[in-house]
Amino acid sequence: MKLFVNGRKNTFTILKNVIKPIDQNIWFHCASLGEFEQGLPIMEALKSKHPSTKIIITFFSPSGYEQKKNTPIADVVCYLPMDTLSRAKKFIELVNPTLAVFVKYEVWPNYMTTLKNKQIKTILISGLFRKEQVYFKPFGNFMRGALAKFDHYFVQNQESKELLESIKLSNISVSGDTRFDRVSHQIEMDNAVKFMDEFTNIPNCTCIICGSTWPEDEEVLIDYINSASSNVKFVIAPHKIDLQKIKTLRQKLTSTTSVTYSEYKKGTISNKKLEETNLLIVDTIGYLTKIYSYADIAYVGGAMGETGLHNILEPATFGVPIIIGKNFVKFPEAERLRSLAGLFSVSNKEECNTILNKLVSDANFRKKTGMICGHFVNSNTGATNIIIEYLDQQKIL
């Protein structure tokens, strides 16, 4: 909350210092880190086509801002001021965007009104709508009015398009999710990580990457970790780096040893110790996407509790079978991949143990499941091209 409040105190000063009246600016608003990942392919494509254009990125939450405040794609990264009419007017005057891009489902009424009044082209990308949302309720007139101010909606699926049409909105394209474009390029990059090379340097190693985990995720994994054979290696990359929670996790290990990335980085453990240990806890940020390239199996966190499922597409692009928790109804990509049998949902330790045993012991099953995941990503790319073609046709930039 302190970051949330204090971060917004500097927004207008940052904008005044960086943006000049002659600049051509594109404004992207992202709620958090996940929405940034969806917006990034569009940012990169626009920057490539229009290199002199400045990219302004705003975040609502500290979790997104803190991780991406220094991203090289942006000329300015700041918090979005709270949605009052006076702040919205001041912000839009300072940014003076040629184009405003909102990601997924961020809709702020005063910002939308100000953009509309100034006739600034405004689009929604990777939009995802559900009938439970306020826009589709009898009492949702006010928010429907804000939603109606977009010039074009690029949505992830047909269901979202039909929901928008049910409230008399048009100019809708089913483009898909831009995250597929984002992760599909990752496989072409250099994903080598020195400490992972050393960690997995044993014969017949099976590597299970547990990414963006929360304590409730770790709770269903711990029994399997304690009982696994010596050639099965685990990486846990917690969503939040909390030293006390990491200490608690390590105390629950009864039959395996663990090291942390920080211990490795500081040189307090040897390379041989890293090679011999069964569990590596990555207590830093920035490595997870590359680490997934080492996975034979991936457990993606967030769905065992109520915090929200994290990005399953990052491991899927490497052709890795995926396990998640039980709460994923708001994540259509997980529902689709599960229906294709590339992803498995578990509700408790017993179910987690069963599917992990199957994936570890049956290499053919593991390979087949991973191939489903890789094909799923490859067959759903293209959203970025659809959006860029629209912007080119509109001659906005």
Side-chain angles (χ1 to χ4, degrees), residues 42-206:
I42 308 300
M43 299 175 201
E44 291 174 336
L46 290 175
K47 196 68 173 178
S48 176
K49 290 174 72 72
H50 309 281
S52 62
T53 298
K54 288 188 173 180
I55 301 289
I56 317 300
I57 302 174
T58 56
F59 285 98
F60 180 76
S61 79
S63 61
Y65 174 82
E66 289 298 320
Q67 290 205 43
K68 294 299 176 181
K69 59 188 176 184
N70 296 316
T71 177
I73 193 65
D75 296 276
V76 180
V77 180
C78 58
Y79 284 97
L80 183 71
M82 297 305 289
D83 186 39
T84 66
L85 189 56
S86 61
R87 290 192 182 102
K89 286 181 176 179
K90 185 175 182 180
F91 177 88
I92 299 300
E93 287 172 2
L94 285 170
V95 175
N96 190 28
T98 303
L99 170 68
V101 182
F102 286 64
V103 183
K104 197 171 182 179
Y105 43 49
E106 283 282 278
V107 179
W108 297 102
N110 288 304
Y111 282 96
M112 299 306 300
T113 297
T114 304
L115 288 164
K116 193 71 172 179
N117 289 343
K118 288 183 170 290
Q119 298 183 319
I120 296 169
K121 188 71 75 172
T122 304
I123 64 172
L124 180 74
I125 65 167
S126 293
L128 185 62
F129 294 93
R130 305 179 307 279
K131 62 182 179 180
E132 296 83 12
Q133 290 172 306
V134 66
Y135 313 113
F136 313 108
K137 301 294 184 182
F139 52 81
N141 280 338
F142 178 68
M143 289 305 294
R144 276 196 293 274
L147 185 63
K149 291 181 170 64
F150 283 103
D151 293 288
H152 203 97
Y153 309 83
F154 294 94
V155 296
Q156 294 187 31
N157 52 34
Q158 183 66 24
E159 292 81 0
S160 293
K161 182 176 187 288
E162 291 172 359
L163 281 169
L164 293 179
E165 289 174 337
S166 75
I167 55 173
K168 312 301 182 189
L169 297 182
S170 56
N171 299 325
I172 308 161
S173 299
V174 179
S175 59
D177 188 343
T178 50
R179 283 185 304 166
F180 285 95
D181 300 321
R182 167 70 175 147
V183 300
S184 69
H185 295 310
Q186 188 66 39
I187 203 166
E188 302 166 2
M189 298 180 183
D190 179 6
N191 293 296
V193 180
K194 184 174 183 290
F195 65 84
M196 286 300 300
D197 289 332
E198 295 170 0
F199 178 65
T200 56
N201 186 32
I202 63 168
N204 303 312
C205 177
T206 300

Side-chain angles (χ1 to χ4, degrees), residues 213-221 238-240 245 249 252 304:
T213 58
W214 294 77
E216 51 265 41
D217 296 299
E218 293 150 14
E219 193 61 33
V220 301
L221 290 161
H239 177 64
K240 289 187 176 180
K245 288 180 179 177
L249 171 62
K252 293 179 180 179
M304 189 54 67

